[in-house]
Amino acid sequence: IGVKDKELISIVGAGGKTSLMYALGKELNNKKVFLSTTTKIFPPRFDEVDFYGIGQDVYLYISKNMKKGSFLYANSLNKEGKIVSINIEELQKAKEDFDYIILESDGSKRKALKGWADNEPIVSKETTITLGVFDVSTLNKNIDENLVHRLPRFLEIARARESESLKAYHVVNMIFNEEGLFKNSLGRKILFINKVENEENEKVLKKLIDKINEKNKEKRLIERIVYGSIKNKRVESLICEV
C-alpha cells in the first residue's frame, strides 16, 4: 500500500479489519509498529502480534526496550474483555516513540458489511492513510441482518432493498457515498478487497474493480486498490485509474 515512515493508518469498513491490522504489523515489523483502536477490539492471540500490553507502565517499558516488532497497546479492558479506545495523549506519545501507527477505527459487530452511524468511523485527525476493507465473498449473498450490521442504514447508503442479492453496483454505492466506506476519511484512500480465495471470488472481482475504476474516474477518491486474502497471505495491488 506504499507505506512511508511515520504513517498513521486508520482501518475502516468490515470483513477483516483486525486481521489486516495484525498482518500489516507483521509486514512492517522490521521497525517499531504501534497498534491500537479508536473503537473496541478483543485482545490478540499470541501469534498475531510481537508484543501486547495493558496500561501506561507496560507501554513505557515496551516502547523503551523493543527495538523492532508490532506492539498492540490497550490502556484498559472493558467488562466484555475488549480493548477500549486509545486517547489523544497516548496517540501523540506513540507518534514520538514508533515508526508506524495502525489503528482499527471502525466497528462491525463481526458482520461482513455495515451501515455507518452518525459518529462512525472514528478516524484520527493524524491519519495519513485511510484503508477501507470490503469482503468480496459477500457479493451475491442476501442483504439481511445476518450479513449486515445496521441494516437500515446500509440499505440507504448502498441504495439496496432488504433480502435482494448484493451486487457490484451496491458495493460501488457503498464505497463512494459520502456516508459510506470512506466517510470521515483522511489522507490517501486505499481500498482493500479481502477474501479473494476461490474461482467464484476471482470471477466477480474483475467486474467489481472495473466498476470501481469507472466511478473513481469521476470521483477521484481512491488512490490504490489492494486485493487478495489475508488468510492465505496473498495480496496484489494496482494504482487506480483517475
Side-chain angles (χ1 to χ4, degrees):
I1 64 174
V3 180
K4 303 166 188 172
D5 283 353
K6 294 295 181 180
E7 297 268 33
L8 193 158
I9 303 167
S10 292
I11 303 177
V12 299
K17 295 186 303 294
T18 309
S19 298
L20 178 57
M21 179 171 71
Y22 294 150
L24 271 175
K26 290 286 188 182
E27 192 75 16
L28 298 169
N29 72 357
N30 61 321
K31 293 189 176 182
K32 294 174 69 173
V33 189
F34 178 87
L35 312 175
S36 195
T37 183
T38 62
T39 58
K40 300 186 211 47
I41 58 172
F42 282 107
R45 299 193 311 266
F46 76 93
D47 60 335
E48 290 178 315
V49 297
D50 298 310
F51 304 93
Y52 167 58
I54 303 171
Q56 282 295 308
D57 291 343
V58 176
Y59 173 89
L60 291 170
Y61 178 82
I62 292 178
S63 62
K64 181 179 178 181
N65 290 286
M66 69 180 280
K67 304 302 180 189
K68 62 180 182 178
S70 62
F71 168 44
L72 181 69
Y73 171 70
N75 54 15
S76 62
L77 302 181
N78 66 11
K79 292 178 180 179
E80 297 176 89
K82 285 185 173 182
I83 296 167
V84 299
S85 177
I86 188 173
N87 63 47
I88 293 171
E89 292 76 17
E90 291 167 325
L91 185 58
Q92 291 300 324
K93 188 72 172 70
K95 282 185 66 183
E96 298 171 10
D97 295 336
F98 289 82
D99 298 299
Y100 309 105
I101 296 175
I102 308 172
L103 301 176
E104 182 168 336
S105 302
D106 210 353
S108 55
K109 298 289 185 183
R110 298 192 170 186
K111 294 188 179 181
L113 294 169
K114 71 168 292 185
W116 287 265
D118 291 342
N119 63 337
E120 294 179 315
I122 304 170
V123 177
S124 165
K125 292 181 180 179
E126 308 283 345
T127 298
T128 59
I129 296 176
T130 302
L131 188 51
V133 180
F134 170 69
D135 174 355
V136 76
S137 72
T138 59
L139 279 166
N140 299 318
K141 289 185 177 178
N142 285 348
I143 304 170
D144 56 27
E145 295 275 2
N146 295 316
L147 190 69
V148 184
H149 175 48
R150 290 203 191 87
L151 178 61
R153 191 72 187 110
F154 177 84
L155 296 176
E156 291 176 15
I157 292 166
R159 298 177 197 167
R161 295 189 302 274
E162 185 173 358
S163 298
E164 72 176 323
S165 296
L166 184 76
K167 300 301 181 185
Y169 65 87
H170 295 133
V171 179
V172 171
N173 289 339
M174 179 195 72
I175 291 170
F176 290 96
N177 191 308
E178 290 182 0
E179 297 295 312
L181 181 60
F182 288 100
K183 178 187 173 190
N184 299 338
S185 62
L186 294 168
R188 309 195 304 283
K189 285 79 172 173
I190 297 174
L191 175 66
F192 180 75
I193 302 175
N194 191 25
K195 301 191 182 179
V196 184
E197 295 168 356
N198 56 47
E199 285 185 18
E200 185 61 31
N201 296 156
E202 294 274 3
K203 192 185 301 181
V204 297
L205 176 70
K206 185 180 186 306
K207 180 180 176 183
L208 177 61
I209 288 177
D210 286 346
K211 287 188 175 298
I212 291 169
N213 268 325
E214 183 180 341
K215 190 69 172 179
N216 201 50
K217 288 177 183 178
E218 172 194 338
K219 294 290 188 178
R220 297 180 176 269
L221 178 71
I222 301 167
E223 177 187 282
R224 184 187 299 253
I225 298 173
V226 182
Y227 57 92
S229 167
I230 301 169
K231 176 183 173 183
N232 295 338
K233 300 181 179 178
R234 173 221 159 197
V235 292
E236 296 183 45
S237 176
L238 59 91
I239 305 297
C240 279
E241 301 169 21
V242 292

